[in-house]
């Protein structure tokens, strides 16, 4: 199970990656057309977010048929071609398994609605009356987590959108369905899987009101989750494949359990604690500048904690649910290039497997939308109404959404300076960021100083220096809020690295730890040396 440690995963949101047929909507043929670009970057796996049959209420995270390709994305032949062509380039595909819930358009839910007891047991239905919710739990997308079905006299649970009904994992038939879906895709030549919010699958025995929170403490890392994961991995025949679980509001202890070698659960997991350091009082919709000390502490706790117990982290800043890291933790104006490179360095040298989200390697920024009409995401649209309903002004609401919307990460991939950034010849389903004329793949490909060239170097360094993939990690200067610093050591060849990242736009003085003065510089984002770290400077020293 060691073969994912020196690998790099590239995440593709197919809807926004490349449109091959001019309908404004990215597709599988578009991904195939860009494989040479991805092979050149040097990545090992592509994680594709869901392209299965779906009403697209949550852009494919509402699956109506786990074995069918949504025609908007192409056909099964297109996928088979993508698998073959990727394989020729030494790239494996990872599919996104949304097993916590299905679309309410899934045949199972439809049969449940039609009164079939068997399929009602696939979901979480509770008898009741329309005025009496089973619990006061809140949906992750806003509003109550229950929906009433008058013709059944029952409520069903939806932790996400009302069209995403939670599955009942207590039912062995559901668990067997899920394992069978994995076997189906494995037989097609899929090399790995990402599991959507998989730590939410095990619900409590008793459903009760949460008077201290939104209900998550009752179902997060639930009582049977480790048992169900082990069973899924064994029955699905995927032990030894590369797998990553998306863990919502999880704990270090549970993530050790999910990923420790020998547990036969997952290769690694995503946790989101480091991406909440700019949430005021933990509220995503309350703005606050990033707390660098909290960020550093979280990295240290998770890195050293996973190391101590043989767990494994997925390393990431960006995905399709997050604003662009350069706009959020760096600078998308004066120090755009410096901060994009520094942020990449900060995580690529940590202990774990790095994920690059499409366009991150170009330094893509938030689009800075100014009108609610520009947004598409169900969560953003819901929260626009919620925030306005709370009495916030239009301007304040739009400012919050512009900084926090998931659509920030979903604008079209910036391929070149032509119309729509070269993403489509038609009308894109969502607008592009205005800066695509300067920030784009064509402009960056042959520029040795570009953000993309820097990412390419990072991917290659991981293959050349065992200390990056196998070494130990130790954090330095924990009290210094401005400076993220750590040492990698303990590789078989004795090589050591010192990583220094200035998280701020001002100069940060640094005294090198003993034994590091005069060592070789492996990588950095400023050419000449200086006494202090300049704005967003990163330096990696080697001995
Ligand atoms: O996301 C899970 C999730 O809870 C968050 O990332 C969510 O977007 C955020 O907390 C809201 O503030 C996964 C998928 O990545 C996301 O795209 C889906 O919408 C969600 O599950 C439901 O399937």
């Amino acid at each position: 199970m060691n073969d994912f440690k020196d690998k790099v995963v590239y995440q593709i949101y197919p809807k926004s990656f490349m449109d091959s047929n001019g309908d404004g909507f990215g597709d599988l043929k578009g991904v195939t057309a860009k494989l040479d670009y991805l092979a050149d970057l040097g990545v090992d796996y592509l994680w594709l977010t869901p392209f299965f049959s779906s009403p697209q209420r949550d852009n494919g995270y509402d699956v109506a048929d786990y074995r069918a390709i949504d025609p908007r994305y192409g056909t099964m032949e297109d996928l088979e071609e993508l698998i073959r062509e990727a394989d020729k380039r030494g790239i494996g595909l990872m599919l996104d398994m949304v097993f916590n819930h299905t679309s309410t358009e899934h045949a199972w839910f439809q049969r449940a609605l039609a009164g079939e007891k068997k399929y009602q047991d696939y979901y979480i239905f509770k008898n009741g009356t329309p005025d009496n919710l089973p619990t006061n739990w809140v949906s992750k997308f806003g509003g109550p987590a229950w929906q009433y079905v008058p013709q059944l006299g029952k409520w069903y649970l939806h932790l996400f959108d009302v069209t995403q009904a939670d599955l009942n994992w207590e039912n062995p038939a559901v668990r067997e369905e899920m394992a069978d879906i994995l076997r189906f895709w494995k037989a097609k030549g899929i090399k790995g899987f990402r599991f959507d919010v998989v730590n939410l699958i095990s619900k409590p025995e008793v459903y009760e009101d949460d008077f201290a929170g939104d209900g998550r403490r009752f179902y997060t890392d639930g009582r049977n989750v480790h048992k169900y994961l082990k069973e899924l991995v064994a029955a699905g025949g995927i032990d030894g494949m590369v797998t990553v679980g998306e863990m919502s509001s999880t704990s270090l202890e549970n993530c050790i359990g999910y990923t420790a070698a020998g547990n036969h659960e997952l290769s690694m997991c995503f946790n989101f604690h480091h991406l909440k350091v700019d949430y005021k009082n933990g509220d995503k919709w309350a703005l606050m500048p990033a707390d660098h000390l909290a960020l550093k502490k979280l990295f240290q706790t998770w890195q050293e904690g996973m190391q101590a117990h043989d767990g494994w982290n997925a390393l990431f800043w960006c995905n399709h649910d997050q604003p662009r890291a350069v706009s959020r933790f760096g600078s998308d104006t004066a120090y755009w290039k410096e901060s994009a490179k520094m942020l990449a360095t900060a995580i690529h040298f940590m202990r774990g497997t790095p994920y690059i989200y499409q366009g991150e390697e170009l330094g893509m920024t938030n689009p800075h939308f100014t009108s609610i009409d520009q947004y598409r995401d169900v969560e953003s649209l819901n929260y626009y109404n919620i925030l306005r309903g709370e009495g916030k002004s239009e301007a304040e609401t739009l400012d919050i959404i512009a900084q926090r919307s998931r659509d920030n990460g979903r604008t079209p991939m910036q391929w070149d300076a032509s119309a729509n950034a070269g993403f489509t010849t038609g009308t894109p389903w969502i607008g592009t960021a205005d800066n695509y004329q300067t920030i784009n793949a064509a402009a960056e490909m042959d520029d040795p100083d570009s953000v993309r060239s820097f990412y390419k170097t990072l991917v290659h360094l991981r293959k050349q220096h065992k200390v990056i993939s196998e070494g130990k990690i130790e954090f330095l200067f924990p009290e210094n809020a401005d400076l993220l610093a750590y040492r990698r050591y303990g590789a078989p060849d004795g090589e050591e690295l010192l990583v220094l990242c200035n998280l701020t736009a001002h100069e940060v003085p640094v005294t090198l730890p003993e034994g590091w003065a005069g060592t070789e510089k492996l990588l950095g984002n400023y050419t000449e040396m200086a006494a202090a770290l300049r704005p967003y400077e990163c330096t990696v020293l080697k001995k």
Side-chain angles (χ1 to χ4, degrees):
M1 290 273 282
N2 254 3
D3 52 356
F4 49 85
K5 293 195 171 173
D6 64 350
K7 302 291 189 276
V8 178
V9 184
Y10 187 92
Q11 183 194 350
I12 292 184
Y13 198 65
K15 197 172 183 175
S16 304
F17 190 65
M18 182 64 202
D19 173 18
S20 72
N21 62 359
D23 65 359
F25 203 94
D27 45 44
L28 294 172
K29 274 191 181 307
V31 178
T32 307
K34 294 297 185 184
L35 282 172
D36 286 334
Y37 170 88
L38 299 163
D40 176 79
L41 189 58
V43 298
D44 303 282
Y45 293 102
L46 303 180
W47 150 32
L48 273 72
T49 62
F51 46 75
F52 313 107
S53 169
S54 156
Q56 299 291 315
R57 167 93 178 171
D58 187 20
N59 289 348
Y61 282 93
D62 45 337
V63 179
D65 182 345
Y66 292 97
R67 294 180 183 78
I69 313 289
D70 193 292
R72 277 168 277 219
Y73 292 101
T75 62
M76 191 60 90
E77 288 68 45
D78 294 343
L79 179 66
E80 286 161 356
E81 187 192 17
L82 172 57
I83 296 171
R84 270 195 316 274
E85 289 300 316
D87 190 61
K88 280 186 199 162
R89 293 161 177 85
I91 297 176
L93 252 58
M94 295 169 71
L95 296 196
D96 203 326
M97 298 287 110
V98 189
F99 284 175
N100 176 68
H101 44 263
T102 73
S103 165
T104 50
E105 289 190 18
H106 194 289
W108 301 334
F109 195 82
Q110 288 299 315
R111 294 176 74 167
L113 285 186
E116 283 187 53
K117 173 87 175 67
K118 171 176 174 190
Y119 289 104
Q120 287 175 2
D121 287 344
Y122 273 40
Y123 296 91
I124 300 171
F125 279 101
K126 298 283 172 203
N127 291 326
T129 50
D131 49 346
N132 224 337
L133 280 96
T135 67
N136 64 355
W137 299 358
V138 182
S139 152
K140 309 255 183 203
F141 292 164
W146 298 94
Q147 177 68 21
Y148 194 64
V149 186
Q151 79 262 29
L152 299 179
K154 293 178 197 293
W155 295 86
Y156 69 86
L157 179 70
H158 64 90
L159 295 181
F160 293 89
D161 186 58
V162 58
T163 65
Q164 294 166 301
D166 279 58
L167 284 161
N168 173 21
W169 276 72
E170 306 304 304
N171 181 348
V174 167
R175 308 206 293 272
E176 174 48 27
E177 295 271 14
M178 296 305 158
D180 197 55
I181 294 163
L182 294 180
R183 294 190 292 262
F184 174 86
W185 287 116
K186 184 181 172 186
K188 287 262 180 219
I190 294 302
K191 294 291 190 292
F193 297 96
R194 178 255 190 194
F195 293 97
D196 191 59
V197 291
V198 73
N199 68 326
L200 308 186
I201 58 175
S202 174
K203 308 297 194 287
E205 212 166 348
V206 182
Y207 284 72
E208 54 187 309
D209 281 337
D210 189 350
F211 297 111
D214 62 5
R216 71 183 65 192
R217 66 197 169 106
F218 294 123
Y219 56 74
T220 303
D221 300 315
R223 61 200 165 118
N224 288 320
V225 65
H226 293 282
K227 174 180 156 210
Y228 293 159
L229 268 176
K230 286 188 177 73
E231 185 185 307
L232 180 71
V233 165
I238 64 163
D239 199 11
M241 291 172 85
V242 57
T243 54
V244 56
E246 186 203 28
M247 304 303 177
S248 172
S249 301
T250 189
S251 68
L252 173 59
E253 188 192 12
N254 274 291
C255 286
I256 290 166
Y258 295 132
T259 64
N263 273 9
H264 304 283
E265 295 187 29
L266 302 171
S267 312
M268 61 192 118
C269 37
F270 295 116
N271 82 78
F272 296 88
H273 297 289
H274 65 296
L275 296 177
K276 296 182 179 174
V277 296
D278 54 0
Y279 291 7
K280 194 172 177 183
N281 301 321
D283 178 359
K284 170 170 174 172
W285 309 99
L287 301 178
M288 182 181 94
D291 178 343
H292 290 152
L293 218 45
L295 180 72
K296 286 185 33 153
K297 189 143 180 54
L298 282 161
F299 278 141
Q300 177 166 8
T301 304
W302 279 80
Q303 286 280 309
E304 293 181 357
M306 291 292 257
Q307 165 168 282
H309 300 279
D310 205 17
W312 197 251
N313 287 295
L315 308 170
F316 74 108
W317 288 116
C318 295
N319 69 25
H320 63 292
D321 294 332
Q322 298 292 330
R324 291 288 179 176
V326 70
S327 298
R328 182 178 181 184
F329 298 111
S331 146
D332 60 13
T333 51
Y335 298 108
W336 164 73
K337 194 186 276 187
E338 292 80 1
S339 63
K341 292 179 181 178
M342 181 280 289
L343 290 167
T345 299
I347 59 169
H348 276 249
F349 286 94
M350 285 185 188
R351 180 180 174 278
T353 300
Y355 284 66
I356 302 171
Y357 177 59
Q358 65 182 43
E360 176 187 338
E361 78 280 16
L362 305 174
M364 272 179 64
T365 68
N366 287 349
H368 304 291
F369 288 155
T370 52
S371 154
I372 194 64
D373 304 332
Q374 294 172 287
Y375 293 93
R376 302 287 176 269
D377 178 25
V378 54
E379 184 197 49
S380 303
L381 300 175
N382 285 351
Y383 272 95
Y384 171 80
N385 290 324
I386 291 171
L387 297 171
R388 291 291 279 130
E390 286 170 0
K392 293 203 165 56
S393 70
E394 177 76 4
E396 187 186 356
T397 303
L398 285 174
D399 182 36
I400 295 172
I401 305 275
Q403 295 195 47
R404 295 292 150 91
S405 173
R406 305 195 299 178
D407 282 339
N408 282 313
R410 299 177 181 183
T411 61
M413 174 74 174
Q414 295 172 195
W415 292 109
D416 58 42
S418 70
N420 302 315
F423 161 71
T424 180
T425 54
T427 306
W429 69 277
I430 188 168
T432 44
D434 290 339
N435 56 28
Y436 71 82
Q437 310 233 338
T438 46
I439 302 178
N440 66 62
E444 296 192 31
M445 281 295 282
D446 302 319
D447 171 5
D449 187 45
S450 68
V451 176
R452 189 185 181 283
S453 296
F454 194 88
Y455 268 87
K456 185 171 168 176
T457 302
L458 288 174
V459 175
H460 285 275
L461 286 175
R462 171 165 291 264
K463 316 281 178 202
Q464 288 155 8
H465 299 268
K466 284 248 170 301
V467 70
I468 303 176
S469 52
E470 291 176 18
K472 289 180 163 300
I473 191 164
E474 175 193 44
F475 283 75
L476 306 167
F477 310 116
E479 313 298 330
N480 186 337
D482 298 338
L483 175 66
L484 175 74
Y486 55 85
R487 182 171 78 97
R488 300 298 310 273
Y489 65 101
D493 58 9
E495 194 171 87
E496 290 192 22
L497 301 177
L498 177 69
V499 179
L500 301 169
C501 294
N502 178 355
L503 300 172
T504 77
H506 53 256
E507 285 206 350
V508 172
V510 54
T511 313
L512 290 181
E514 212 187 300
W516 285 94
T519 51
E520 183 190 334
K521 180 164 162 179
L522 180 67
L523 184 77
N525 57 353
Y526 283 78
T527 34
E528 352 57 69
M529 297 294 278
L533 289 175
R534 282 148 298 181
Y536 299 106
E537 179 164 358
C538 61
T539 301
V540 181
L541 301 177
K542 171 175 107 78
K543 69 174 182 188

